[in-house]
Amino acid sequence: MQRIELAAGYEISRVIRGGWQLSSGHSAAQSEDPVADMVAFADAGITTFDCADIYTGVEELIGRFRKRYADLRGAAALAAVKVHTKCVPDLNLLPRLTRANVAGIVDESLRRLGQERLDLVQFHWWDYAVPGWLEAAHWLDELRREGKIDRLGGTNFDTAHMLAIAESGVPLTSMQVQYSLLDGRPAKEMTDAAAAHGVSLLCYGTVAGGFLSERWLGVAEPAAQLENRSLTKYKLIIDDFGGWALFQALLRALDAVARRHGSTVATVASAAMLRRPSVAGVIVGARNRSHLSANLAISDLALMAGDMAEIDAVLAKANAIEGDVFDLERDREGRHGSIMKYNLNKGAA
Ligand SMILES: NC(=O)c1ccc[n+]([C@@H]2O[C@H](COP(=O)([O-])OP(=O)(O)OC[C@H]3O[C@@H](n4cnc5c(N)ncnc54)[C@H](OP(=O)(O)O)[C@@H]3O)[C@@H](O)[C@H]2O)c1
C-alpha cells in the first residue's frame, strides 16, 4: 500500500477506508464484527479511516477499534493509524452557530474516538447563503492551535470558498470531494487551486457506491428502488454523465483494462483517480472486508498510457457534470440535493 505525506510529519495510506457504510443511515446489511474488520484493514496497510460526526455510531466503532488495535499491535502500530473525521454542523443550526457549538462537536468526536487530539477534521458547511462559514473555519483553527486537532481539512467546498478559507490564513491540509471517472467536477478548477495552495484532494465516489464494478456490467438499467442511498445518489450522476448505455461502455472499457492486469473494474476505477493531479488518496467505502484485497491493490496497479487512452475514449463522449464541487447537491430542491439529509448532528450541539 502506497503511503503519502499530506503535510510535514502527517502520513496516510493512499487508500482510505470509508466509514459511511457502517452508519445506521446506510441501509445495507453490515459486518458481524466491524472492529475485527478494521484490524484486518490496518494490518493489510489501509491504516486511514474516514468517518464523520454525523455518521451515527461510526466514531464509536473506530474508537473501539483504536483501543483493540493498541492492545493487539502496540502503540507504535496505532500511531500509524489516522482517523479523518468531519465537523458538519446541522443546517438548522447554522444561523445561530457559536464557537461553543463547534468546540462541542470536536469534543464529542474526541470522546467517541478515544483520542486526545483529532488527526484530521474536515469542515463542511451546508449553505453559503448563511454567513459564518469563514468564522467557523477560524474557530476550528483556534481549536487546532489549542491542541485538540492535528490537521484541518474541508469537505464539499467549491473552489471559491476553498480559496477564501485558505487565503484567510486557515492552513487547509486537504479537501474531500466527490471525484471519479463519472464525476469530473473537481478537474474544472479545484485541482489547480488545490495545487497552488498545497491542499491535497481526498476523493470519494471513485467506485460510485459499487456501480463501478463487475456487478453492474451488462446489467439492464435498474427500474426499481435501489438497495441503499449511495446507489440512489450515484445513479443520478450516471444519468448526468450520459446515461446507462454510456455507463455500460465505461464498464466495458474498465473491464478490458482490468483483465489485462488481472485486476477488477473497481480497482482500475480507483487507481485511475490516484493518477490525477492533486489527488492524494481515494476513500473507498466498505461494509465488511469482502473487497479488501481488491482495494488493497489500487495503489500498486500500474496503469499504462494505452489503458488510460481506452478509458479516456469513453470519457470523451460523456457530459461534464454541471457546476463546481457539490453545487448540484447544495440545491435542496434539485434532484441531487433533495435526497440528502441536512440535520444529523442533533446530539452534539
Ligand atoms: N464528504 C462527503 O460528503 C462524503 C460523501 C460520501 C462519502 N464520503 C466518504 O467516502 C466513503 C466512500 O464513498 P461512498 O460512501 O460514496 O461509497 P463508495 O466508496 O463509492 O462505494 C462503496 C461501496 O462500493 C462497493 N465496493 C467497494 N469496493 C469495491 C470493490 N473493490 N469491488 C466492488 N465493489 C466495491 C461496496 O458495496 P457492497 O458492500 O454493496 O459490495 C461498498 O459498500 C464513505 O464511506 C465516506 O467515508 C464522504
Side-chain angles (χ1 to χ4, degrees):
M1 170 55 52
Q2 282 178 12
R3 299 180 66 80
I4 190 167
E5 203 172 46
L6 287 191
Y10 191 89
E11 190 186 274
I12 62 164
S13 53
R14 292 196 78 194
V15 177
I16 299 168
R17 176 173 172 172
W20 158 248
Q21 284 66 22
L22 296 177
S23 76
S24 54
H26 191 269
S27 61
Q30 286 157 15
S31 167
E32 280 179 10
D33 193 345
V35 173
D37 288 345
M38 290 180 201
V39 170
F41 272 70
D43 280 349
I46 299 180
T47 55
T48 316
F49 294 79
D50 184 74
C51 60
D53 51 344
I54 58 167
Y55 295 178
T56 310
V58 181
E59 286 185 327
E60 287 92 335
L61 274 179
I62 295 177
R64 279 166 41 209
F65 152 69
R66 289 185 73 261
K67 196 167 177 314
R68 195 183 300 177
Y69 205 61
D71 291 344
L72 289 172
R73 309 287 181 244
L78 181 65
V81 168
K82 298 289 182 226
V83 181
H84 295 178
T85 193
K86 305 190 186 81
C87 174
V88 187
D90 281 354
L91 175 66
N92 289 343
L93 181 68
L94 296 186
R96 53 195 163 83
L97 189 74
T98 63
R99 189 187 190 281
N101 295 141
V102 171
I105 292 173
V106 167
D107 284 341
E108 190 62 20
S109 292
L110 284 167
R111 188 189 64 77
R112 290 171 181 160
L113 288 165
Q115 289 184 296
E116 285 174 10
R117 186 173 67 164
L118 298 173
D119 296 325
L120 176 79
V121 174
Q122 303 162 107
F123 172 51
H124 174 93
W125 191 263
W126 284 118
D127 189 349
Y128 300 137
V130 182
W133 48 273
L134 193 54
E135 201 175 12
H138 280 270
W139 290 334
L140 281 168
D141 194 34
E142 285 168 22
L143 294 166
R144 180 188 67 80
R145 281 186 267 120
E146 285 167 20
K148 291 196 171 185
I149 299 170
D150 187 2
R151 312 295 320 180
L152 268 186
T155 179
N156 298 327
F157 280 98
D158 63 15
T159 309
H161 288 81
M162 179 188 79
L163 284 174
I165 294 172
E167 286 166 3
S168 75
V170 175
L172 280 183
T173 295
S174 60
M175 185 57 64
Q176 182 181 135
V177 291
Q178 185 180 150
Y179 193 16
S180 70
L181 294 175
L182 296 169
D183 180 356
R185 285 176 287 179
K188 294 180 187 173
E189 292 184 19
M190 184 169 278
T191 46
D192 285 350
H197 286 78
V199 179
S200 297
L201 298 187
L202 303 176
C203 310
Y204 65 84
T206 57
V207 296
F211 270 123
L212 287 169
S213 71
E214 282 77 3
R215 185 176 159 205
W216 292 93
L217 181 63
V219 172
E221 183 166 5
Q225 167 102 17
L226 288 152
E227 186 185 317
N228 59 57
R229 281 178 52 211
S230 291
L231 290 171
T232 305
K233 177 177 90 170
Y234 290 115
K235 176 62 170 60
L236 296 177
I237 293 289
I238 290 172
D239 296 344
D240 292 5
F241 168 80
W244 197 253
L246 190 64
F247 168 63
Q248 285 297 323
L250 178 61
L251 285 183
R252 286 194 296 276
L254 292 170
D255 187 49
V257 173
R259 283 170 189 275
R260 281 202 294 276
H261 289 271
S263 186
T264 73
V265 166
T267 303
V268 174
S270 289
M273 298 314 296
L274 275 189
R275 298 167 54 104
R276 299 273 177 108
S278 291
V279 172
V282 291
I283 310 163
V284 187
R287 288 186 288 130
N288 47 45
R289 51 183 112 161
S290 58
H291 304 299
L292 174 54
S293 60
N295 294 333
L296 203 54
I298 292 169
S299 69
D300 290 331
L301 181 63
L303 293 172
M304 316 297 278
D307 300 326
M308 293 315 298
E310 220 166 311
I311 297 167
D312 288 344
V314 181
L315 300 188
K317 297 180 193 149
N319 302 322
I321 307 288
E322 195 186 313
D324 202 314
V325 166
F326 214 67
D327 281 355
L328 287 170
E329 293 83 348
R330 279 180 193 282
D331 172 8
R332 295 196 289 281
E333 313 299 320
R335 288 159 57 244
H336 296 262
S338 60
I339 60 168
M340 306 200 57
K341 297 193 175 170
Y342 297 90
N343 296 292
L344 289 168
N345 210 342
K346 297 175 187 69

